Amino acid sequence: MVKTAFVVIRSPQELDASRIIAGMSDRADAVVILFEDAVYNAVLADRADGLDRVAGDVQVARDDLEARGYESSDLKVGRAVEYADIVDTIMEATERTVSA
Amino acid sequence: MAKTMTILWRSGSMMAMDANVATKLAKAALEKGYKVNMFGYGEGITAVKKGQAPKRFPNVGDELQELADAGATISLCETCYAARGFQRGEEIEGVKIGSLTNNLFVFVSESDRLVTIAR
């Protein structure tokens, strides 16, 4: 399977990205990158569980997380990363990018 | 030769942070030494308007100008631009009024990664 970076910007209320991810990738090959209101997926327990089931790595844009009043300690899944780390993930650690 | 990232954005300059995510990602990629192309279409073209003054919000026009000055290749859809009543010359310096066929497809064909920031 192709190692894939899934870019998600919409909130959990707008989109359940886990179904797209599960349909396109194995868990081991799926890296989810959460921007903007998509970061709420990582702080809401039920959505976080859903992402954890389909993605081996969940990366949350720290700036977007903190802009919304959350910190790394609030994350129920994944880890807070910088935009530079996200570039590494897209350009080097994965082979294709899918915007969900 | 440096790898290339193309970022496609489609949301307007206000109402969502999509365009700002696109510029922040582009900036981070440039700083890491990658070549960066950006293409705006749909409401995305509003982000290149000269003279934006969003007061308490990030100025995406300034951010795009800085990226163009730093070497990013930025283009946008002429059809979308004209459809919204923009005239050539209203865009920031260094942005090319282009087209899907002449610019976006070239960007995509020469890129290692394509990132779409749109909803």
Side-chain angles (χ1 to χ4, degrees), chain A residues 31-50:
Chain A
V31 179
V32 177
I33 301 170
L34 303 176
F35 290 110
E36 296 189 65
D37 285 348
V39 303
Y40 291 119
N41 281 288
V43 298
L44 298 171
D46 58 336
R47 286 311 176 95
D49 290 346

Side-chain angles (χ1 to χ4, degrees), chain B residues 26-96:
Chain B
K27 184 170 188 283
L30 278 176
E31 286 170 354
K32 282 191 162 272
Y34 294 111
K35 184 176 183 301
V36 174
N37 301 319
M38 299 181 75
F39 191 87
Y41 74 109
E43 301 307 328
I45 59 93
T46 59
V48 306
K49 175 75 172 64
K50 217 172 357 190
Q52 296 174 56
K55 302 287 191 290
R56 288 173 301 283
F57 296 95
N59 188 321
V60 74
D62 290 352
E63 292 168 356
L64 285 168
Q65 183 66 75
E66 286 164 21
L67 289 168
D69 296 344
T73 304
I74 304 174
S75 186
L76 56 106
C77 172
E78 175 174 28
T79 305
C80 301
Y81 199 65
R84 288 159 180 79
F86 284 96
Q87 308 297 321
R88 279 178 184 264
E90 288 189 77
E91 69 280 3
I92 57 175
E93 300 297 323
V95 166
K96 182 177 183 330

Side-chain angles (χ1 to χ4, degrees), chain A residues 7 9-11 14 35-36 63-64 68 83-88 90-92 94-100, chain B residues 3-5 11 16-22 24-25 28-29 32 34-35 112-119:
Chain A
V7 170
I9 61 173
R10 284 181 274 179
S11 73
E14 291 175 280
F35 290 110
E36 296 189 65
D63 291 354
D64 301 29
R68 288 159 177 77
Y83 270 68
D85 302 320
I86 291 169
V87 169
D88 285 337
I90 290 171
M91 296 304 287
E92 307 298 341
T94 57
E95 297 154 276
R96 70 175 172 171
T97 309
V98 172
S99 293
Chain B
K3 284 188 179 179
T4 301
M5 172 191 280
S11 306
M17 297 294 287
D18 302 358
N20 304 97
V21 166
K24 265 174 104 165
L25 198 59
K32 282 191 162 272
Y34 294 111
K35 184 176 183 301
D112 297 277
R113 299 290 182 276
L114 170 67
V115 183
T116 301
I117 305 286
R119 61 190 61 231

Side-chain angles (χ1 to χ4, degrees), chain A residues 63-81:
Chain A
D63 291 354
D64 301 29
L65 183 69
E66 293 177 355
R68 288 159 177 77
Y70 289 97
E71 295 171 357
S72 303
S73 54
D74 296 309
L75 294 177
K76 304 288 194 302
V77 68
R79 55 202 165 91
V81 295

